[in-house]
């Protein structure tokens, strides 16, 4: 029997954040028009307006800007184990679960929080990419599929590989600076609607707003 393609109906979003029931979100914040996909695991992170994640995404201690596109199986800030201890196992800090103590090692969790990840606006993170602790990714950047980002990424720069390295700029330095100055991601909804079609035409957009 031939397979019949049946397109999936587009999900309508709203100003209320959309979070899949299969996802676990702990002590985090999501802005308007955000969408958290299936089987996400998110801890103490912030998502700016219109940012979305696909399935099986992990985010720990991160601040993510507006209009970001995060593909499936991305891991942002994989948490570190204490390598300086005799044992790296999480029993040494998740003591309660293993009945070694009545309190967990909160100092280690505080240490993890100090190594947060910061991602700018309109960043695209490709399938299976990993963003390591303490990294900052500039606005408009692209992280290629499967990349492991260990160093900061400049705005409007494309990085690929393991470890990730820059291969090209999306736009010239001059155009990138113009876009950063315009900061369209901060526009209110009304202005965004009024100039929506211009987002598909760089030349017209810069002419009208640069």
């Amino acid at each position: 029997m031939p397979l019949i393609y049946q397109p999936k109906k587009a999900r309508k979003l709203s100003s209320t954040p959309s979070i899949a029931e299969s996802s676990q979100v702990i002590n985090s914040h999501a802005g308007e028009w955000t969408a958290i996909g299936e089987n996400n695991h998110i801890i103490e992170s912030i998502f700016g307006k219109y940012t979305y994640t696909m399935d099986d995404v992990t985010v720990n201690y991160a601040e993510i800007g507006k209009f970001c596109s995060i593909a499936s199986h991305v891991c942002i800030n994989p948490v570190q184990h204490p390598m300086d201890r005799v044992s790296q196992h999480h029993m040494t800090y998740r003591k309660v679960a293993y009945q070694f103590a009545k309190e967990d090692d909160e100092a280690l969790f505080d240490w993890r929080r100090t190594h947060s990840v910061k991602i700018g606006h309109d960043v695209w993170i490709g399938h299976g990419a990993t963003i390591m602790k303490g990294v900052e990714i500039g606005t408009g950047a692209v992280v290629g599929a499967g990349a492991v980002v260990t160093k900061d990424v400049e705005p409007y720069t494309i990085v690929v590989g393991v470890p990730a390295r820059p291969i090209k700029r999306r736009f010239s330095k001059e155009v990138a600076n113009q876009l950063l100055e315009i900061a369209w991601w901060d526009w209110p909804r009304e202005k965004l609607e009024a100039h929506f079609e211009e987002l598909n035409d760089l030349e017209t957009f810069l002419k009208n707003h640069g």
Side-chain angles (χ1 to χ4, degrees):
M1 179 180 294
L3 296 175
I4 300 174
Y5 172 68
Q6 293 182 326
K8 186 177 180 180
K9 290 185 178 180
R11 177 177 46 160
K12 285 191 176 182
L13 301 176
S14 71
S15 58
T16 302
S18 171
I19 301 174
E21 291 184 3
S22 59
S23 289
Q24 183 180 26
V25 180
I26 300 171
N27 296 335
S28 298
H29 172 80
E32 295 179 349
W33 300 94
T34 52
I36 304 301
E38 299 286 346
N39 299 311
N40 280 210
H41 186 80
I42 297 167
I43 296 177
E44 294 184 31
S45 296
I46 298 172
F47 292 77
K49 295 179 180 179
Y50 297 88
T51 286
Y52 71 89
T53 67
M54 299 301 289
D55 56 293
D56 296 291
V57 170
T58 299
V59 182
N60 299 301
Y61 312 114
E63 183 178 339
I64 301 170
K66 305 170 187 176
F67 296 92
C68 290
S69 306
I70 302 174
S72 63
H73 297 85
V74 164
C75 182
I76 297 175
N77 200 2
V79 293
Q80 301 294 299
H81 286 246
M83 295 183 289
D84 58 333
R85 298 181 181 183
V86 174
S87 174
Q88 305 175 103
H89 194 273
H90 66 185
M91 69 176 179
T92 63
Y93 51 93
R94 296 190 183 278
K95 303 174 184 179
V96 176
Y98 291 90
Q99 301 184 39
F100 283 118
K102 294 183 179 180
E103 294 182 355
D104 287 330
D105 185 355
E106 290 300 325
L108 185 131
F109 297 106
D110 290 338
W111 174 81
R112 285 177 173 174
R113 291 183 183 99
T114 64
H115 292 74
S116 63
V117 166
K118 293 184 179 180
I119 298 174
H121 309 294
D122 195 35
V123 172
W124 173 22
I125 303 177
H127 179 95
T130 301
I131 315 299
M132 298 302 291
K133 66 183 179 68
V135 166
E136 293 191 25
I137 298 179
T139 290
V142 178
V143 176
V148 177
V149 184
T150 60
K151 296 180 180 180
D152 294 352
V153 178
E154 292 289 322
Y156 291 97
T157 300
I158 302 171
V159 298
V160 300
V162 181
R165 67 192 188 284
I167 58 167
K168 63 181 294 187
R169 299 183 59 87
R170 282 183 59 199
F171 306 121
S172 69
K173 196 88 171 180
E174 180 184 4
V175 169
N177 287 338
Q178 283 183 280
L179 291 171
L180 291 170
E181 182 69 24
I182 295 167
W184 61 265
W185 41 85
D186 290 332
W187 289 357
R189 176 79 183 196
E190 294 77 13
K191 186 172 182 179
L192 193 63
E193 290 177 350
H195 299 281
F196 183 74
E197 295 301 326
E198 296 172 17
L199 294 174
N200 293 332
D201 187 333
L202 179 64
E203 185 177 347
T204 299
F205 184 84
L206 293 177
K207 180 180 177 181
N208 292 340
H209 305 286

